[in-house]
Structure formats: C-alpha cells, structure tokens
Amino acid sequence: MKILVPVKRVVDYNVKVRVKSDQTGVDIANVKMSMNPFDEIAVEEAVRLKEAGVATEIVAVSCGVAQCQETLRTAMAIGADRAILVETDVELQPLAVAKLLKALVDKEQPQLVLLGKQAIDDDANQTGQMLAALAGLPQATFASKLKIADGRAEVVREVDGGLETVSVKLPAVVTVDLRMNEPRYVTLPNIMKAKKKPLETVKPADLGVDVTPRLKTLKVAEPPARKAGIKVPDAATLVAKLKTEAKVL
C-alpha cells in the first residue's frame, strides 16, 4: 500500500508571530520555520503503518517555495521513502493546494492520503476536505486512531460530543488530530540518510493546475490588548457591572 503524506512549511510553533508594519501579512523574515505539527503526526502514523507491514511506500509532498525541501528532508528523516516538491513562489491557498494534491493523487495512485487536519499558520482546516471532494474519495477527518484492514480504514475521530468511529473504503483521505501519536525524535543518522533519498521537483504548470489566488487579504492586525481585570466586593456589584458596563445581562 502506498501512502501520500502532504506536509506544510510553517512558522515554528515556539515563535511569537508578529504582524508586518504595513499590515499586509505576517513577518516571516529571519524566523524559524518547521513542519506543521499536525503533518508531522501524519508522517509518524504513516511510518508506523509501514513498520507494521501495512504500507510499502511513503511519499511526502509539499507545495511552496524552494525552502520546503528542508521540510521534506525532515519527513524523509522520520521515515518517508521519497518526496515531491511542487515549487512555486505564489502564495498558495487551500483550494490551490487541494488541486495540486489531486493531480499528484491521479499520478501516484496512493491507497491512502494522510495529512494534518489543519495548518497552524492559517488554521483553515480545508485542504483535506477539498482534496477528497475533488478526487471523489471517501474522507475521515480529525482522526485520533487509525486501523487499516481488509481494504478499509477504521477511524476513531474526535467530535464535539466525544469520539465517533467510522469505516471508509480505500483509497481514502484521512486528516489526523493532535492525539493520534507522538512523533519520534529525528536522529542525526536518519537526517544523513534522508539526504540520499530521492526528491523530485515539479511546477504547478507541469501538473496542469492554476494556483492564482482567489482571495485577497485586505489587512492583518494583531488582536487588541486585553484590559486588566478588577475585583468586586460582592455579587451585587458584579451583577451591576455586567448590566451597565459589560451589557451582557
């Protein structure tokens, strides 16, 4: 079984994000970039499936600038067999990424597409669902457990009311949640091995996909600073302030 794992290069989750002075976007100059944590969990799960003898090949995919090669090398250091970079300097939006992945699904014919439920930069939570729709594949989102057997994927997914178990026929698209696993530590020997693994670079035009942005960001602004809290002497004063100042009663 072949598993396709899309990974995204994002600002590291430990970095405090700052808005550009002209409010056109987020300042990513000279900040640490890393693999989207949810995608890292997806890579780890794919590697575990391979170690269990369920999968035979793991293909990591990233869409974006040339520096995404670093993210793909990390995926291969975790255990992916090879990688594909769809290189473009255009700011990619979820629909464009889904179209690129759909073209790669048609080309690679994987039995499972395993990706993070969302990226921590835009928090769109759209790419996996759009890919499933475009490719006409069944989907299971927010997966916390995954079991592959008899040509089907049994997925335990997190919902508002608790946990839900669904079974989908392969090939399918599965997006993973935070509690699926804990990614392994990438060792230096595996980083060196990853440098020798094949990494193919293609352009969106090679896949016949137009990635022109359909949405325009008008302004990016930091949230307003929170006002300091106050203490009230009794419940009556609290109710009065909720009525007159907060106006929530």
Side-chain angles (χ1 to χ4, degrees):
M1 183 177 80
K2 181 190 293 187
I3 303 178
L4 190 73
V5 187
V7 296
K8 186 177 184 180
R9 178 177 180 263
V10 299
V11 175
D12 189 86
Y13 66 92
N14 287 313
V15 174
K16 179 176 174 55
V17 176
R18 299 186 182 278
V19 175
K20 291 180 180 178
S21 57
D22 60 1
Q23 295 187 318
T24 57
V26 172
D27 187 2
I28 60 172
N30 302 315
V31 300
K32 182 182 178 183
M33 307 291 285
S34 60
M35 186 189 303
N36 179 46
F38 290 104
D39 295 337
E40 191 174 2
I41 293 170
V43 176
E44 172 67 26
E45 190 64 22
V47 173
R48 292 187 184 188
L49 288 172
K50 185 179 179 183
E51 291 172 344
V54 176
T56 55
E57 185 182 23
I58 302 169
V59 183
V61 178
S62 191
C63 306
V65 295
Q67 290 88 334
C68 290
Q69 291 186 29
E70 301 167 9
T71 307
L72 290 171
R73 292 293 179 192
T74 301
M76 290 189 285
I78 296 173
D81 298 294
R82 59 187 175 91
I84 301 172
L85 170 61
V86 184
E87 187 178 348
T88 176
D89 292 327
V90 177
E91 181 184 352
L92 295 174
Q93 295 173 350
L95 180 59
V97 176
K99 289 180 177 179
L100 292 171
L101 294 178
K102 194 267 182 184
L104 290 174
V105 166
D106 292 341
K107 177 183 176 183
E108 295 288 337
Q109 294 293 309
Q111 283 70 54
L112 179 64
V113 181
L114 200 59
L115 68 161
K117 69 170 185 177
Q118 65 193 71
I120 62 171
D121 52 1
D122 57 15
D123 279 328
N125 181 23
Q126 295 174 342
T127 303
Q129 293 89 326
M130 287 178 170
L131 170 60
L134 291 171
L137 297 175
Q139 62 175 304
T141 56
F142 315 132
S144 58
K145 288 184 181 179
L146 173 64
K147 181 181 178 182
I148 306 293
D150 302 322
R152 301 188 71 88
E154 185 178 287
V155 178
V156 178
R157 57 189 304 268
E158 299 186 0
V159 295
D160 291 340
L163 299 176
E164 177 185 53
T165 302
V166 297
S167 178
V168 293
K169 186 178 180 181
L170 298 179
V173 175
V174 176
T175 71
V176 307
D177 213 329
L178 193 63
R179 279 161 287 278
M180 173 163 271
N181 60 52
E182 185 175 337
R184 67 194 67 190
Y185 178 75
V186 179
T187 61
L188 182 59
N190 286 335
I191 292 174
M192 300 306 293
K193 290 177 184 177
K195 292 182 178 180
K196 298 180 180 179
K197 292 182 179 180
L199 194 159
E200 178 187 357
T201 301
V202 298
K203 300 288 186 182
D206 300 333
L207 300 174
V209 177
D210 178 13
V211 295
T212 303
R214 298 186 175 213
L215 302 174
K216 181 181 179 181
T217 302
L218 300 179
K219 185 174 75 170
V220 177
E222 293 187 6
R226 293 182 63 181
K227 295 180 180 179
I230 60 171
K231 291 183 178 180
V232 293
D234 50 45
T237 307
L238 173 62
V239 172
K241 285 185 175 295
L242 290 175
K243 285 182 177 178
T244 58
E245 296 182 18
K247 299 187 184 300
V248 295
L249 293 179

